[in-house]
Amino acid sequence: MDLVVLAASSGVEMADYEQSIQELIDAFGRLPGIGPKSAQRITFHLLKSDKAESERLVSAVSSAVHKIRYCEVCFNFAESERCAICRDENRDPHLLCVVEEPRDVVAIERTREFRGRYHVLGGAIDHLQGVGPDQLKIRELLIRAAEEGITEVILCTNPNIEGEATALYLKRVLDIPGLTVSRIASGLPVGGDLEYADELTLGRAIEGRRTLEQ
Amino acid sequence: MGHVTIRRVWLKDFRSYEELELDFTPGLTALLGDNGNGKSNLLEAIGFLVSLKSFRGAPKEALVRAGVDVGFIRAELDDDGREVLIEVELKSLGSPRVLVNKQRLGATRELLGVCSTTIFSPDDLSIAKGSPSLRRELIDDLLTAVHPKNEVVCDDFAKVLKQRNALLKQCNGRLSSDAQLTLEVWDERLVEVGERLGGLRVRILEKLQPLVNDYYTRVSDNSRPIGLAYSSAWRSSGMAASLAESRRDDLRRGISTVGPHRDDVMMEIDGMNARVQASQGEQRSLVLALRLASHELIRQATGTSPILLLDDVFSELDDRRSAALLGALPKCQTILTSAVGIPKGATADAIYYLNDSTLVEARSS
């Protein structure tokens, strides 16, 4: 990300633009996944097209920024005190899925496999970025686990160093009688060929194999 | 991966090179010229192509020609008759971009599945004389070359260690109950990957030892036994117990004081510590034997010979050692640089003379 910012504001291509255009290019360039070339393309697209299109964008950004806050229960994005999932009476109140970011909630929701509720930590333990357990919504998770009658917590943090450490930590602190703590499985993509799976994933999949019911 | 050779290399804005194109033979290619004319830079480029790091330990930004932002290395390889094109784009800022047959590469270890190299460099003597980190690096590089998956273990260990050290530093010598819980989590992870890394290193040293003995006899014409032992403060009692024992010390100093990152490879010639008790000549033979043995181990494990890169190796050797090394070199594609001509007894299939990083003469026999 720093590189993009550097490149976008390094002044290499700066000279020829009007100031407001340059400011817009810089603003887009600071967004994740957008390099200087894309920032320039988006800017010129907006300036060339109908003013109404830009205004729709402006109002969409502005209303999202003003309306969206964190759900007081699960810390997912919400438009009111509690998010749509926490308000949904049809959700299983005994099942809780713990994820790092709101976008992970969206990913799991898309599967339609999970009918419980969520808890968004707001990241993973990463001391190099100054993120310890205190910076995550872990205290809130413990209170929920103790008070909401939850029977199973599914740890869905990412399968990388930080995510695994966070899951290990949560396993330790969620030592509550009657509470099952499980970890999301990692393995092969559906519809793929064993032949093309990388060795690590395949190794994990073999490790996490399960017995077929007769 | 079958039998892999380099057919052609293009350089653009790499190190001292503005532009260069060179064909290689499947046998021996010699790059000749006085020192400072770019011979080693060319070998460095070939080494970089395969490992994405400089065998001279140069940072990536030093590899792009001064005054330019982007440099390129391209190479055409022959993999059992199949053509493989590797392209590396080096930026003075940011990480290099690698394409294999025009396809983006996911991880560095995929490159090692394409091709590998064995490099003999004038700095190799420091493997015998220098700090333990050089010997650890040698072993870890070998682990990765033998099985690319092993790189993940090395990487994971480095990442977990960094996290643990960052936590220790933040603790400032005091361990709150919350920090203790987090530390226990990192300890659990460090034990898991540390034990794996330690085990891998021990096992590969066991495989390396007989080969090193064999090659030492051949390059030194005496057959004194070589010992390679993994020297580790934690392996006898186990990583978990050692971490527990060193915790107070770790906290006080703000770093992890015990683990694979502090280990060493103890090398002995006839029971004597090679680092302090061996002569320079013995150390040189030992290091040559280590390189040759590693080469053979990679060949056995992957079924293909790494490409041999010999950077100004013969100028350091007396005639006898020089001839012994030539005799011990495996039959495979070899690229050597020399400021004093082709070593006696070697026949080069192609000879290039380099002057001021340009090709001035080419000869093939």
Side-chain angles (χ1 to χ4, degrees), chain B residues 122 125 279-289 316-317 321:
Chain B
L125 203 54
S279 71
Q280 180 130 321
E282 287 169 330
Q283 290 175 335
R284 220 179 274 288
S285 297
L286 177 60
V287 167
L288 290 176
E316 304 283 333
L317 301 177
R321 271 208 181 78

Side-chain angles (χ1 to χ4, degrees), chain B residues 1 47 81 104 154 178 186 198 200 204 206 209 212 220 229 264 315:
Chain B
M1 156 164 82
R104 234 359 225 282
C154 302
D178 218 24
W186 289 115
L200 283 171
I204 204 151
E206 281 165 4
Q209 168 141 339
V212 171
S220 70
D264 195 359
S315 64

Side-chain angles (χ1 to χ4, degrees), chain A residues 126-127 134 169 172-173 199, chain B residues 147 163 170 178 186 188:
Chain A
D126 184 349
H127 302 294
D134 284 352
Y169 180 87
R172 282 169 184 248
V173 293
E199 307 152 65
Chain B
H147 202 327
Q163 290 283 355
Q170 282 158 25
D178 218 24
W186 289 115
E188 190 179 331

Side-chain angles (χ1 to χ4, degrees), chain B residues 130-340:
Chain B
S131 76
S133 66
L134 296 166
R135 290 180 286 280
R136 288 195 299 269
E137 198 187 337
L138 176 92
I139 296 301
D140 289 351
D141 284 352
L142 182 59
L143 279 173
T144 308
V146 163
H147 202 327
K149 191 187 74 173
N150 289 338
E151 190 185 36
V152 179
V153 181
C154 302
D155 280 359
D156 278 4
F157 178 79
K159 282 183 197 156
V160 173
L161 182 67
K162 260 194 198 155
Q163 290 283 355
R164 186 179 192 267
N165 285 343
L167 174 63
L168 286 171
K169 203 152 280 160
Q170 282 158 25
C171 282
N172 242 332
R174 281 185 313 275
L175 200 58
S176 65
S177 62
D178 218 24
Q180 176 166 351
L181 210 54
T182 322
L183 186 60
E184 276 165 15
V185 165
W186 289 115
D187 284 3
E188 190 179 331
R189 295 286 286 134
L190 200 68
V191 167
E192 186 193 322
V193 277
E195 290 278 4
R196 272 178 76 191
L197 181 57
L200 283 171
R201 285 176 177 172
V202 166
R203 279 194 297 282
I204 204 151
L205 281 173
E206 281 165 4
K207 286 189 190 160
L208 201 59
Q209 168 141 339
L211 291 167
V212 171
N213 271 283
D214 191 25
Y215 280 111
Y216 186 82
T217 307
R218 290 167 72 180
V219 295
S220 70
D221 72 29
N222 66 55
S223 54
R224 280 185 290 167
I226 304 298
L228 295 180
Y230 191 59
S231 143
S232 155
W234 56 271
R235 269 185 62 86
S236 54
S237 49
M239 182 94 181
S242 299
L243 272 184
E245 201 178 309
S246 67
R247 174 172 287 180
R248 279 184 60 189
D249 213 23
D250 287 3
L251 263 173
R252 193 173 48 82
R253 297 171 57 180
I255 47 162
S256 306
T257 55
V258 51
H261 59 294
R262 289 295 181 94
D263 293 348
D264 195 359
V265 179
M266 180 74 170
M267 304 197 286
E268 288 182 343
I269 304 177
D270 215 358
M272 310 247 262
N273 185 335
R275 194 171 63 81
V276 288
Q277 289 175 293
S279 71
Q280 180 130 321
E282 287 169 330
Q283 290 175 335
R284 220 179 274 288
S285 297
L286 177 60
V287 167
L288 290 176
L290 267 174
R291 289 287 187 212
L292 288 162
S294 306
H295 182 94
E296 176 58 18
L297 203 60
I298 297 169
R299 193 192 64 77
Q300 286 173 7
T302 63
T304 189
S305 265
I307 294 160
L308 269 179
L309 305 178
L310 304 167
D311 187 18
D312 199 20
V313 169
F314 293 94
S315 64
E316 304 283 333
L317 301 177
D318 54 38
D319 283 356
R320 193 188 52 71
R321 271 208 181 78
S322 208
L325 173 60
L326 271 175
L329 284 180
K331 288 244 165 300
C332 62
Q333 185 172 39
T334 305
I335 302 165
L336 68 81
T337 69
S338 171
V340 293

